[in-house]
Amino acid sequence: MTEHRRGPTGHVYATMRIVLVCATAVLLFGLSLRPLLEEDYRHRGLAACAFAVLAVVTSACSWWVFRRRPLPAALTVTGTLLVLAAATAATVAVSPERRFQAPDWSFGLAGWYVLLLLLDRVRLLVTVLAAHLTMSAGLFLVAGTPDRAALGTAGATAFGAVGVQLAVVVITRVLCGRSREAAEAAEERDRLLTRMLAAHQWRERQRDLFAAQMGTVLPLLAGLADGVTDPRDEDTQRQCALTATQLRRLFAQNDDVPDPLVHEVTACVDVAERRGVDVSFAVSGAAVELPLRIRQELTGPLVTALSAARRRARVSVLRTEEEVRIAVIADAGTVAPAPSTGPVVVEYGGYGQFQRLETRWRK
């Protein structure tokens, strides 16, 4: 797994690398420099070169780590090879009988550099650590058959160093997992809050729509109940048909259906058919997700035309990848819908006793 600049895991890796670069600097200059200066070596110059290489790797990594940026691949590959080469050189410079002891300061230190460079590449990190341990053990055994005390010292040193370093890997993985879980929980909480806010806004909008609709329905019902309005009057019948169609469309907007636009148009057609109007209805194209406001503007003229239709009407819905159209032809005489002020274009015209209206919305 590679490190990401952003996200919870990237934050964990960046923080852990700051800790590791500080740890390597302290181990290199605080604990390894003294044995290099005081102990006897077969090749002191080789050990000093190894020390200098590790110091350069520390400086190069610090430039990126303290800016909390991921290490470049070139630095990771080059640094890993340099660390292994420096660790091998420092081990070779130590007398065989003093390996895995204080003069052999590069053994445990190299593992911390491998952690610093390959922390976000766990499989490669474990492979490099195993290769380094195998190399160190091989140099130790090739020099001669060690006694039991030397084997015990070497085993304890190797187990202590590698065990702590692998524990850092495990801790980092656990922190990454917890960070991802926390981030997912926060995202889920944000999604729930967003849905709650959207539901609240939708409820308020529907309440306003119902209140506006009731503002036209109640005076009509009051007029009919008081006898002020004549139900046999053609204008009254048209007003009742318009109100019924608007209410039916409003109710249809609350239904959870896969194709809301066609569902709302079908509801308007159903009201017209209940009044005895012969409606021909055709749909072409796949469903297109539309906001409620766009659907209302598309179906508004349809409501007006169908409520004014006397005997026949033809409704068609055409949907493509670029636009959505709703057209209606009805024997409604002259119908002038309210002009559209939004993204929906309304066109209408008369053909004798028939009236044609079309609404069009383009992406």
Side-chain angles (χ1 to χ4, degrees):
M1 183 183 65
T2 58
E3 179 180 355
H4 300 281
R5 290 189 180 184
R6 300 176 181 177
T9 57
H11 177 73
V12 171
Y13 285 127
T15 303
M16 291 299 296
R17 275 205 167 103
I18 291 176
V19 175
L20 288 172
V21 78
C22 294
T24 53
V26 170
L27 291 174
L28 181 65
F29 295 100
L31 300 180
S32 302
L33 183 59
R34 182 176 179 179
L36 178 64
L37 298 176
E38 296 180 354
E39 299 289 343
D40 293 330
Y41 289 87
R42 293 193 304 173
H43 307 286
R44 181 173 297 276
L46 190 60
C49 289
F51 185 93
V53 169
L54 293 179
V56 170
V57 173
T58 302
S59 300
C61 291
S62 300
W63 171 258
W64 298 90
V65 168
F66 285 112
R67 293 190 297 165
R68 304 186 68 86
R69 298 183 63 182
L71 299 180
L75 176 60
T76 300
V77 174
T78 305
T80 301
L81 295 177
L82 288 176
V83 166
L84 292 178
T88 304
T91 301
V92 171
V94 178
S95 301
E97 65 276 6
R98 299 298 305 277
R99 287 173 185 165
F100 289 100
Q101 297 179 26
D104 193 10
W105 50 265
S106 66
F107 171 73
L109 181 61
W112 292 105
Y113 277 94
V114 173
L115 281 176
L116 171 63
L117 292 164
L118 302 175
L119 184 62
D120 56 323
R121 298 171 173 86
V122 177
R123 293 183 180 179
L124 183 58
L125 185 152
V126 174
T127 302
V128 173
L129 284 178
H132 171 60
L133 179 61
T134 302
M135 179 271 298
S136 300
L139 292 176
F140 178 68
L141 296 175
V142 167
T145 303
D147 56 19
R148 184 175 300 177
L151 281 175
T153 301
T157 302
F159 179 79
V162 175
V164 173
Q165 291 160 5
L166 291 179
V168 172
V169 176
V170 173
I171 291 172
T172 303
R173 300 289 290 180
V174 171
L175 290 176
C176 287
R178 296 293 177 85
S179 297
R180 281 193 295 268
E181 292 175 359
E184 291 172 358
E187 291 176 359
E188 181 62 23
R189 181 192 60 194
D190 292 341
R191 284 194 293 268
L192 288 175
L193 291 176
T194 301
R195 286 198 292 266
M196 291 175 59
L197 179 60
H200 176 73
Q201 293 176 346
W202 178 84
R203 184 169 60 250
E204 293 296 325
R205 184 171 59 250
Q206 291 299 109
R207 182 180 301 172
D208 294 340
L209 290 174
F210 276 111
Q213 196 64 54
M214 287 297 103
T216 60
V217 172
L218 292 178
L220 179 62
L221 294 177
L224 291 172
D226 296 338
V228 176
T229 304
D230 187 0
R232 294 169 296 182
D233 183 72
E234 184 176 350
D235 291 337
T236 301
Q237 293 176 358
R238 185 181 299 109
Q239 184 64 30
C240 289
L242 176 63
T243 302
T245 307
Q246 289 174 338
L247 285 174
R248 185 66 182 87
R249 182 188 63 166
L250 187 60
F251 295 149
Q253 291 173 358
N254 297 320
D255 298 335
D256 185 11
V257 292
D259 196 341
L261 179 64
V262 171
H263 182 64
E264 294 174 20
V265 174
T266 302
C268 299
V269 170
D270 181 66
V271 175
E273 289 179 336
R274 290 176 180 273
R275 294 193 298 107
V277 179
D278 183 13
V279 182
S280 174
F281 182 29
V283 179
S284 176
V288 177
E289 185 176 354
L290 298 172
L292 176 61
R293 181 175 63 87
I294 300 299
R295 298 202 310 268
Q296 289 176 336
E297 293 187 14
L298 282 170
T299 57
L302 170 70
V303 171
T304 303
L306 287 180
S307 61
R310 298 181 179 90
R311 296 181 180 179
R312 290 192 301 169
R314 179 178 179 180
V315 179
S316 60
V317 177
L318 172 63
R319 295 174 295 190
T320 66
E321 295 182 356
E322 298 297 330
E323 67 177 4
V324 177
R325 292 187 179 188
I326 297 180
V328 55
I329 300 177
D331 56 347
T334 302
V335 177
S340 175
T341 58
V344 176
V345 178
V346 180
E347 298 178 354
Y348 61 96
Y351 302 90
Q353 64 175 348
F354 288 92
Q355 179 80 6
R356 181 182 182 276
L357 295 96
E358 181 180 278
T359 55
R360 182 172 66 254
W361 174 80
R362 295 182 63 86
K363 290 186 179 179

